[in-house]
Amino acid sequence: MLSIFLSCIVSAAIQAHAISVSIPLTTPSNASSVSPSHISFSIEQDRWTDWPGSTVSTKNQFVANALGNLVNLVGEPPRFRIGADSEDRTNYQPGLEFTETVFAPPSAAVPFPEASSVVVGKAFYQAAQNLPPGTHITWGVNFKSLNLTAAFLEAGAIADAFDSFPVSSGITLDAIEIGNEADLYTNNGGRPANFTIAQYVPQWISFASNISTTVPIGANTTTKFWGGAFAGSNHSPTGFSPQGLFNNGILTSVPGMLINTISQHVYSGSGLGCGTISSCIQDLMSKPFIRGNLSQFIPDIAATKAQDLTYGSANVSNSAGAALWALDYAFFASSLGIERLYFHEGVGYKYNFIQPVTLKFSIDDGTPLPEPRLPHVQPAYYGAIVAAEAIGKSGSLSVSELSVNNDNLSGYAFYTSEGQLSKTLFINSEGFFTTSGTNRTSIHLDFSFSGTTGQAPSRMTVKRLEIGHADDTSGLTWGGQTYETPDAKASGTVLVETNPVVDGLDIPATQAVLLTFGP
Ligand SMILES: *[C@@H]1O[C@H](CO)[C@@H](O)[C@H](O)[C@H]1NC(C)=O
Ligand SMILES: *[C@@H]1O[C@H](CO)[C@@H](O)[C@H](O)[C@H]1NC(C)=O
Ligand SMILES: *[C@@H]1O[C@H](CO)[C@@H](O)[C@H](O)[C@H]1NC(C)=O
Ligand SMILES: *[C@@H]1O[C@H](CO)[C@@H](O)[C@H](O)[C@H]1NC(C)=O
Ligand SMILES: *[C@@H]1O[C@H](CO)[C@@H](O)[C@H](O)[C@H]1NC(C)=O
Ligand SMILES: *[C@@H]1O[C@H](CO)[C@@H](O)[C@H](O)[C@H]1NC(C)=O
Ligand SMILES: *[C@@H]1O[C@H](CO)[C@@H](O)[C@H](O)[C@H]1NC(C)=O
Ligand SMILES: *[C@@H]1O[C@H](CO)[C@@H](O)[C@H](O)[C@H]1NC(C)=O
Ligand SMILES: *[C@@H]1O[C@H](CO)[C@@H](O)[C@H](O)[C@H]1NC(C)=O
């Protein structure tokens, strides 16, 4: 691939602010480790087979390529959690060849409704063989119907599928999740109104005891349980929260000792009282909101880490601003000690990173499209690509948030396992919209370096995530390249600038930049 190096770029129109940023050259004490699969995916189970393709001969090559781009950057595939709402509406029927699903018709409010019933056979689980080699998967089983036989049959079929994959594929069953968002079961008919965490825990233990034998899951197996998977957390020892699970003895139960991750769902951007589309997008990607939304989980993360468990999180949102939101959200989450994020995806969901199959209905209002829309990536996918490039292939990377005294600018520095500065990411989350009616502002950064090893760098290469407007739904470029192609492979010439560090850097509103410093 051809690279163009431009030396010196014209400075942008309006320089609203100049900010000084100090970058430590060696790993600061507040750095957190970041996994190559930090950005992973949660898939709504009802249309799961659309993602990999249902059989080897009908593999979904678009999805394979879109995931392959990430594998090429970080050296391993994103992880998958398959389940969510429809996990609790799934039943296994031995001998069934094709999945049988029942969907409500599309509506303006819900263009792609979830299935009200999903009946699956063994091919449903075997479709996982089409994911990239080395993919780690967590699969959910039905808990809401409180039918142990149903969960037992699903768990058996999941185990059989993974047993049938060649060891060389590296496709691994990481964990079983028992039920999705059980804290909401009292609202949706799954449990009586007086259902509490104290009742949840023994029900979970009874299911998990059975499933641990069926899969199997044990002290010496690679497969474990995920605990929690609640929609929210009231952070209290008597409510639905990690603390509530621990206080009710889940971890000292025989199967509970096999929990290695507490999963927590976070909804960003749903039901915001934010008025216009622009103000919703601005809120979604705003630095203070991202910090407020994630910081509420600090007590839960501390309680989970105190039990030596990892803490993960699922779900979220939509638009070009979502690319910046995904980036800032992902790395701020690392800095809080969140191990991995599973961004929720369905077919036709507005907030998808990837639309895996051809769509016949509008994702905005459910109306039939004049022309079917082929598989494509959405803006948030660029967030995953930029994050993957920031993380790179070094294996054990750590990230530290830089202290930037501006509510529209976030900065992160990445360090190698040897403790050396590898890359630096800045995100200007001030929204520039099609309706802004002003010239685009820009923030000027001046850099200084701290740390004793080596000399301060004198040059930097700059790669930009360029976005027309925060409310655009397409047309983004990363270092001059687009991923909005028929096969999800990057197209266009790579464009990076190489500038003297003393010149500083201009970052226009609604843009992210990745810097690599050098001598
Ligand atoms: C995420 O939100 C959607 C609705 O906005 C919901 O259907 C889905 O089940 C949620 N995801 C998870 C992780 O449960
Ligand atoms: C698990 O539950 C199923 C269905 O009720 C039952 O047939 C099976 O024997 C149980 N297994 C164990 C180990 O309890
Ligand atoms: C429980 O699940 C099994 C397997 O899907 C099914 O045959 C049975 O009818 C279910 N029981 C109830 C009470 O729904
Ligand atoms: C919960 O409510 C059900 C009726 O919906 C009742 O039968 C049961 O006794 C109640 N349980 C407790 C612990 O109050
Ligand atoms: C797990 O492996 C260890 C070491 O190989 C062994 O001592 C132990 O008995 C095994 N535990 C079980 C439950 O199989
Ligand atoms: C989360 O962010 C939304 C906007 O995206 C905001 O309305 C809400 O107040 C935030 N919640 C917390 C707890 O900070
Ligand atoms: C992390 O530590 C570095 C070096 O001490 C410091 O410059 C930076 O401000 C810290 N980050 C935050 C978010 O406090
Ligand atoms: C951040 O962006 C908002 C929205 O455009 C703007 O009103 C505000 O002045 C900016 N704040 C700073 C510190 O630049
Ligand atoms: C944008 O910048 C141009 C060139 O500097 C200037 O002529 C124009 O008045 C500006 N527009 C607005 C809306 O500020």
Side-chain angles (χ1 to χ4, degrees), residues 148-150 152 209-211 213-214:
L148 181 60
T149 306
F152 161 77
S209 300
N210 185 294
I211 291 167
T213 308
T214 310

Side-chain angles (χ1 to χ4, degrees), residues 241-511:
S241 64
Q243 296 88 330
L245 292 171
F246 307 154
N247 190 44
N248 284 283
I250 202 167
L251 295 181
T252 49
S253 70
V254 173
M257 288 178 198
L258 306 170
I259 293 176
N260 71 351
T261 295
I262 295 294
S263 139
Q264 175 66 53
H265 300 173
V266 182
Y267 293 81
S268 299
S270 58
L272 300 180
C274 47
T276 65
I277 288 176
S278 301
S279 60
C280 285
I281 295 172
Q282 181 66 75
D283 281 1
L284 177 70
M285 66 187 195
S286 117
K287 184 178 174 186
F289 273 147
I290 287 173
R291 275 139 192 82
N293 274 250
L294 281 173
S295 300
Q296 59 176 306
F297 293 102
I298 288 174
D300 302 35
I301 296 165
T304 302
K305 296 223 153 191
Q307 304 284 355
D308 232 8
L309 301 171
T310 57
Y311 190 92
S313 150
N315 215 353
V316 185
S317 184
N318 54 331
S319 81
L324 300 183
W325 159 80
L327 265 178
D328 196 16
Y329 190 86
F331 291 125
F332 183 68
S334 308
S335 74
L336 291 183
I338 292 175
E339 166 97 357
R340 185 171 283 107
L341 298 159
Y342 290 78
F343 287 86
H344 194 58
E345 310 276 296
V347 168
Y349 291 2
K350 295 185 183 76
Y351 49 71
N352 274 9
F353 286 47
I354 301 166
Q355 293 296 2
V357 288
T358 299
L359 302 178
K360 296 194 180 117
F361 297 95
S362 158
I363 67 167
D364 297 321
D365 58 13
T367 54
L369 292 170
E371 301 267 336
R373 183 86 204 267
L374 295 175
H376 58 282
V377 300
Q378 301 205 138
Y381 179 78
Y382 288 89
I385 289 285
V386 177
E389 199 156 326
I391 291 169
K393 273 190 184 158
S394 87
S396 55
L397 198 80
S398 60
V399 61
S400 169
E401 186 177 9
L402 296 165
S403 154
V404 181
N405 185 23
N406 185 293
D407 267 355
N408 295 325
L409 195 81
S410 309
Y412 298 92
F414 298 86
Y415 297 88
T416 64
S417 55
E418 289 80 40
Q420 300 304 310
L421 178 67
S422 122
K423 290 190 160 61
T424 310
L425 174 71
F426 290 98
I427 302 159
N428 183 341
S429 55
E430 177 175 353
F432 180 69
F433 297 95
T434 47
T435 52
S436 285
T438 56
N439 289 320
R440 196 166 192 147
T441 62
S442 157
I443 294 176
H444 181 82
L445 289 186
D446 289 310
F447 303 109
S448 63
F449 298 90
S450 60
T452 48
T453 344
Q455 285 182 311
S458 60
R459 300 190 70 76
M460 56 187 178
T461 55
V462 182
K463 195 165 178 181
R464 296 179 189 267
L465 177 63
E466 297 202 70
I467 297 174
H469 307 94
D471 49 340
D472 289 350
T473 55
S474 62
L476 289 73
T477 55
W478 168 234
Q481 292 190 300
T482 178
Y483 288 85
E484 295 158 52
T485 56
D487 60 2
K489 291 188 177 166
S491 163
T493 306
V494 177
L495 190 67
V496 294
E497 307 148 31
T498 302
N499 301 336
V501 170
V502 291
D503 287 0
L505 183 72
D506 292 321
I507 309 179
T510 313
Q511 185 173 105

Side-chain angles (χ1 to χ4, degrees), residues 42 44 81 84-85 114 180-181 265 267 314-315 344 349 351:
S42 158
E44 188 67 45
R81 172 261 190 168
D85 279 353
E114 292 169 9
N180 175 66
E181 305 190 341
H265 300 173
Y267 293 81
N315 215 353
H344 194 58
Y349 291 2
Y351 49 71

Side-chain angles (χ1 to χ4, degrees), residues 192-195 199:
N194 57 10
F195 181 61
Q199 292 161 327

